[in-house]
Amino acid sequence: MKHLPLFDQIPKLSNSLEIFKKHFFRVRFLAAFNILTVLILGGLSVYAKLNNQGDGVERLFSDPFNFWFPYEGILTGVSEVLWCIPVAICAFSFGVLRQKNPRSRSGIFLFFSALLLGVFFLDDRFRMTLIISQLGISKKLIYLCYGSAVFLYGVKFWRYIKTTPYLPLVAAFLLFAISRFEDMLNLSNQGVHAMLEDGTKLLALLNLALYFWHVCHQEVWRHLQQSEDR
């Protein structure tokens, strides 16, 4: 098979790039997130090169793994996965429901659920409360703000929540409260501390994941049924 000259291949290459660009920009936020990520990674690379901080950048991507204790942190990893489930499915379900009715009660509930749980996940994953407390702001004040946000969330959406099997949701927030309260006690017994802080959080996240999985499934199914009826 004869190879086309380079100049003859340029139009085909140009067409391929146009097709790639068309598909890439079809999802509006895809390009923005990719460009932002490339800029951040590029900035870190330049910083590491100029300041001889290659080891520091490498640590950002190091595996949290202990060869001698491979089970170390396994339940923390499970908790982080469970954190992502309700946030992701609430955000996805909101995107589906808003196509029909942007101001639907269920859609707004799922949007604020994803927002609230997303903030809690970021706080837990990146230790935001711990970092802020090191700046002189009391943990009690931070937890009061979070508690107030949960209270307002419950008051705002209680009429809708009552139409759902809400017991896991209530149990989850109560377990979160126990977990945060134990964090302020600073118990000396490590086993008790782990069970009361991290164990209750894991159970809370399991209840949250199951609750929002059920609610989102019901709402999306109802949306599909209504679309078929039309």
Side-chain angles (χ1 to χ4, degrees):
M1 182 177 178
K2 290 183 66 177
H3 293 284
L4 292 174
L6 178 61
F7 290 105
D8 292 337
Q9 295 181 29
I10 290 177
K12 292 187 176 182
L13 178 61
S14 178
N15 291 336
S16 299
L17 290 175
E18 286 296 325
I19 293 173
F20 173 78
K21 185 170 69 173
K22 178 181 177 181
H23 283 277
F24 189 77
F25 285 97
R26 179 177 295 177
V27 182
R28 286 175 293 180
F29 57 82
L30 185 62
F33 276 99
N34 275 274
I35 292 171
L36 179 61
T37 303
V38 170
L39 290 175
I40 292 173
L41 294 177
L44 285 173
S45 300
V46 172
Y47 171 80
K49 182 66 175 179
L50 295 177
N51 296 278
N52 296 320
Q53 295 291 330
D55 292 342
V57 173
E58 185 179 359
R59 281 195 292 271
L60 294 175
F61 297 95
S62 61
D63 295 324
F65 175 73
N66 188 326
F67 177 80
W68 301 107
F69 302 98
Y71 58 84
E72 184 173 310
I74 189 170
L75 292 181
T76 299
V78 171
S79 295
E80 291 176 356
V81 172
L82 288 174
W83 261 125
C84 295
I85 292 174
V87 176
I89 61 176
C90 284
F92 175 81
S93 300
F94 165 72
V96 172
L97 297 177
R98 73 185 295 271
Q99 296 178 8
K100 174 192 172 187
N101 183 3
R103 296 188 178 183
S104 67
R105 182 175 58 171
S106 57
I108 294 174
F109 169 70
L110 294 178
F111 171 77
F112 280 100
S113 297
L115 184 63
L116 181 66
L117 296 178
V119 171
F120 287 167
F121 168 70
L122 292 176
D123 180 287
D124 183 70
R125 182 63 184 85
F126 297 106
R127 304 295 186 264
M128 290 168 54
T129 294
L130 181 60
I131 293 172
I132 295 174
S133 66
Q134 295 299 315
L135 298 177
I137 300 176
S138 172
K139 282 187 178 181
K140 295 180 181 179
L141 178 60
I142 300 172
Y143 292 150
L144 178 62
C145 293
Y146 284 156
S148 300
V150 172
F151 176 77
L152 293 174
Y153 167 83
V155 171
K156 175 66 177 178
F157 297 109
W158 178 242
R159 293 177 61 183
Y160 174 81
I161 292 173
K162 285 195 300 183
T163 65
T164 67
Y166 58 85
L167 184 59
L169 181 65
V170 175
F173 283 121
L174 288 176
L175 288 167
F176 277 135
I178 294 173
S179 176
R180 295 304 90 193
F181 180 72
E182 195 284 332
D183 183 38
M184 293 186 292
L185 291 179
N186 295 320
L187 296 178
S188 57
N189 190 308
Q190 292 184 348
V192 175
H193 170 79
M195 286 298 102
L196 286 179
E197 182 178 5
D198 299 315
T200 53
K201 182 177 71 176
L202 178 62
L203 187 57
L205 291 171
L206 177 63
N207 278 276
L208 275 182
L210 293 174
Y211 171 77
F212 282 108
W213 185 283
H214 175 80
V215 171
C216 291
H217 176 270
Q218 293 297 316
E219 292 298 337
V220 172
W221 177 256
R222 187 178 296 114
H223 169 75
L224 295 176
Q225 290 291 98
Q226 293 174 350
S227 299
E228 289 180 359
D229 293 339
R230 291 183 179 181

